[in-house]
Amino acid sequence: QGFAFVNTAFKNSSKYGISSKINLALLKIRQQLQRILEILDLLVINKDSDVIEKSKKLVTSILEYKSHRNNIRDLVYDSTTLMSHL
């Protein structure tokens, strides 16, 4: 429902307009929803074999986030995406 709300808000932004403050808030909400979804996927364990698989996935995810933080290409991409939304 959260993703649907954010997508609807972005669809309506061209029709009704949107401030940069709201735009940034919607982007942040989308990012947080994606992180929550990933965390929930890691926390749900249905079988004993899921523990090892999800642990590996957690470590991989943490490494991806850490490497993304210092990546210039990703920074430029995020900045240009933000500017295009604005």
Side-chain angles (χ1 to χ4, degrees), residues 20 23-25 27 76-86:
S20 61
N23 191 6
L24 289 173
L27 289 173
V76 170
Y77 175 77
D78 290 343
S79 298
T80 55
T81 303
L82 178 61
M83 292 304 290
S84 69
H85 278 290
L86 292 175

Side-chain angles (χ1 to χ4, degrees), residues 13-40:
S13 67
S14 62
K15 185 176 181 182
Y16 299 110
I18 190 170
S19 71
S20 61
K21 193 173 188 177
I22 299 291
N23 191 6
L24 289 173
L26 287 171
L27 289 173
K28 192 170 187 176
I29 290 170
R30 181 187 287 166
Q31 184 181 46
Q32 290 172 343
L33 286 171
Q34 184 62 39
R35 288 178 181 166
I36 290 170
L37 187 65
E38 290 177 14
I39 290 170
L40 284 176

